[in-house]
Amino acid sequence: MAQFSRIDVVNTMKDTGMVPLFYHPDIELGKKVLKACYDGGARLMEFTARGDFAFEVFSELNKYAVKELPGMIMGVGSITDGAAASMFIQMGANFIVTPSFREDIAKVCNRRKILWSPGCGSLTEINAAEELGCEVVKLFPGSTYGPGFVKAIKGPQPWTSVMPTGGVSTEKDNLKAWFDAGVTCVGMGSKLISKEILQNEDFESLKQNVKEVLKTISKIKV
């Protein structure tokens, strides 16, 4: 069962401005990544469930977060059907992120009052998602649309909350462009948690990266 309500998740997205994305089949390495992000100030983590037996990995990481990292909100990404969403919700996922807009996932999440963030690429999809109760829309792939797209839709729909994923980097200019356009938060994967960091198990660098990005976002949002 989720430890945090959908309102808790939305407020944390707004407050911190960043959702780190991560997947690795090694549970112990995953715990170290979680701890580094947590120590750097992150309070959200999207586990991108893309590998075989990913549900087993997430289950162990979520148990670890609940026990050792108070306030860490674990969610799952790359979910493509309602059955998968239901399974991860049973394992305590606090939010569900999808690469595309799917009504079956919306129904599963809404039934349990779990925040869901669908990947949308048009105003029509965004409107449809919001009509089904979506609080934060995932703009995916962000690199295809860019900050200009966000700024354009925020004109007629200032109430729409957007989280771009893909095309977001740790550089100040990139982050400023997105937040100036009006995003609620950004999803950040390999630009933050790089292959080099994982290969070298350089978790101190990861901690500092997270801390610096959150600091930059905090200054931009003022």
Side-chain angles (χ1 to χ4, degrees):
M1 184 173 177
Q3 300 289 309
F4 300 89
S5 72
R6 68 171 75 187
I7 302 303
D8 292 331
V9 179
V10 172
N11 286 338
T12 304
M13 286 178 170
K14 291 178 180 178
D15 291 343
T16 64
M18 181 180 72
V19 180
L21 286 69
F22 167 76
Y23 172 76
H24 197 282
D26 187 318
I27 293 171
E28 293 308 312
L29 185 144
K31 290 179 180 179
K32 293 174 182 176
V33 168
L34 270 180
K35 182 70 162 57
C37 289
Y38 183 84
D39 289 345
R43 290 300 179 266
L44 295 151
M45 173 63 75
E46 176 189 328
F47 177 79
T48 53
R50 295 177 179 173
D52 293 337
F53 308 108
F55 65 97
E56 294 180 353
V57 180
F58 174 77
S59 178
E60 291 305 313
L61 293 183
N62 197 33
K63 290 175 185 175
Y64 171 74
V66 170
K67 183 178 180 181
E68 303 292 342
L69 309 175
M72 189 62 159
I73 302 174
M74 291 288 291
V76 182
S78 299
I79 298 302
T80 56
D81 61 80
S86 180
M87 180 175 64
F88 279 102
I89 288 171
Q90 290 178 50
M91 294 178 184
N94 295 283
F95 61 95
I96 299 292
V97 182
T98 73
S100 61
F101 169 64
R102 288 186 57 101
E103 190 170 335
D104 60 330
I105 295 176
K107 289 180 178 179
V108 167
C109 292
N110 287 338
R111 193 173 291 130
R112 297 287 293 273
K113 295 189 176 182
I114 301 293
L115 182 133
W116 62 288
S117 183
C120 295
S122 71
L123 198 53
T124 299
E125 286 187 333
I126 291 171
N127 287 339
E130 290 178 331
E131 287 169 3
L132 287 173
C134 175
E135 295 285 349
V136 180
V137 172
K138 173 183 175 180
L139 181 63
F140 180 76
S143 56
T144 299
Y145 299 95
F149 181 86
V150 177
K151 186 176 181 180
I153 65 173
K154 292 285 283 188
Q157 296 193 180
W159 57 82
T160 295
S161 294
V162 181
M163 174 179 67
T165 300
V168 181
S169 70
T170 59
E171 283 74 28
K172 181 180 179 179
D173 288 347
N174 181 274
L175 292 168
K176 190 173 190 306
W178 284 112
F179 281 96
D180 284 353
V183 302
T184 296
C185 63
V186 294
M188 199 176 300
S190 60
K191 299 291 185 181
L192 179 71
I193 309 172
S194 67
K195 290 182 179 179
E196 289 74 23
I197 283 177
L198 297 179
Q199 288 172 352
N200 299 326
E201 298 195 14
D202 188 1
F203 301 113
E204 181 60 31
S205 290
L206 176 56
K207 172 184 170 181
Q208 293 304 319
N209 286 351
V210 171
K211 186 177 294 186
E212 287 301 316
V213 170
L214 290 174
K215 183 178 179 181
T216 299
I217 290 174
S218 178
K219 290 180 178 179
I220 291 170
K221 289 171 65 179
V222 172

